[in-house]
Amino acid sequence: TNGPFTGSNIQTAIIEEGTTTIPAHLFNNSNELKSIDIPESVTVIGGCAFAGTKLKVLDLPDNITHLGERMLDGNTEITEIEVPKTLKDVGTNGLSTNGPFTGSNIQTAIIEEGTTTIPAHLFDNSNELKSIDIPESVTVIGGRAFAGTKLKVLDLPDNITHLGERMLDGNTEITEIEI
């Protein structure tokens, strides 16, 4: 599905303060989009919202609660993402296991200190993810959270109480884990 700005020459987007949702596909295939200013009022970013863009950086708002599937699909510019502690869930369409970073070039992820739960599918099929920083505050890691990644090391916090089903499914890089 193409977004309303597909084929345009828009290189910068500024989302108005007070906006709470960036709809699915809004900038999908906006091939020239290189920067976006997202206000702290945004709590939801829909699926494929920035797929096919040339965004160089994506600063997720501190109040984000939901990220849609394949949000950055096809974006090869962004290699690092910081995930705020307010994130509660990620969208999948029920038939797939694609997380928000599926198809992106995210190689490093930092989970904010104070986070208690890493949602199911957060990095599912994020095939380029090689490194993640998980704070000690995390107690729950959802199912398929790191499935299909290239993580070589997974340093689990000491306070873990729940590890989700198939958390590392398809990851062939990790050969040892300490629990």
Side-chain angles (χ1 to χ4, degrees), residues 15 40 48 50 61 104 108:
I15 306 297
E40 290 300 316
C48 297
F50 309 119
S104 73
T108 302

Side-chain angles (χ1 to χ4, degrees), residues 78-100:
I78 300 172
T79 60
E80 182 174 306
I81 194 81
E82 292 185 34
V83 180
K85 63 185 173 189
T86 54
L87 183 67
K88 301 293 179 225
D89 62 25
V90 299
T92 62
N93 67 16
L95 301 175
S96 74
T97 56
N98 295 312

Side-chain angles (χ1 to χ4, degrees), residues 37-59:
D37 183 14
I38 302 173
E40 290 300 316
S41 58
V42 171
T43 59
V44 174
I45 298 176
C48 297
F50 309 119
T53 65
K54 292 182 181 173
L55 289 175
K56 303 212 181 285
V57 174
L58 181 61
D59 290 325

Side-chain angles (χ1 to χ4, degrees), residues 15-131:
I15 306 297
E16 187 174 287
E17 182 62 47
T19 300
T20 59
T21 300
I22 296 176
H25 303 281
L26 183 63
F27 294 102
N28 191 13
N29 291 321
S30 296
N31 300 343
E32 299 303 316
L33 186 64
K34 295 177 182 150
S35 71
I36 188 162
D37 183 14
I38 302 173
E40 290 300 316
S41 58
V42 171
T43 59
V44 174
I45 298 176
C48 297
F50 309 119
T53 65
K54 292 182 181 173
L55 289 175
K56 303 212 181 285
V57 174
L58 181 61
D59 290 325
L60 295 173
D62 290 338
N63 297 315
I64 200 80
T65 60
H66 176 85
L67 299 175
E69 75 173 337
R70 293 184 172 273
M71 180 182 71
L72 283 172
D73 189 16
N75 176 292
T76 59
E77 303 293 323
I78 300 172
T79 60
E80 182 174 306
I81 194 81
E82 292 185 34
V83 180
K85 63 185 173 189
T86 54
L87 183 67
K88 301 293 179 225
D89 62 25
V90 299
T92 62
N93 67 16
L95 301 175
S96 74
T97 56
N98 295 312
F101 307 111
T102 297
S104 73
N105 194 31
I106 298 292
Q107 297 172 26
T108 302
I110 300 163
I111 308 296
E112 183 181 14
E113 182 62 48
T115 299
T116 58
T117 300
I118 295 176
H121 302 282
L122 181 59
F123 293 101
D124 199 343
N125 288 316
S126 298
N127 299 1
E128 300 305 317
L129 185 66
K130 297 174 184 147
S131 169

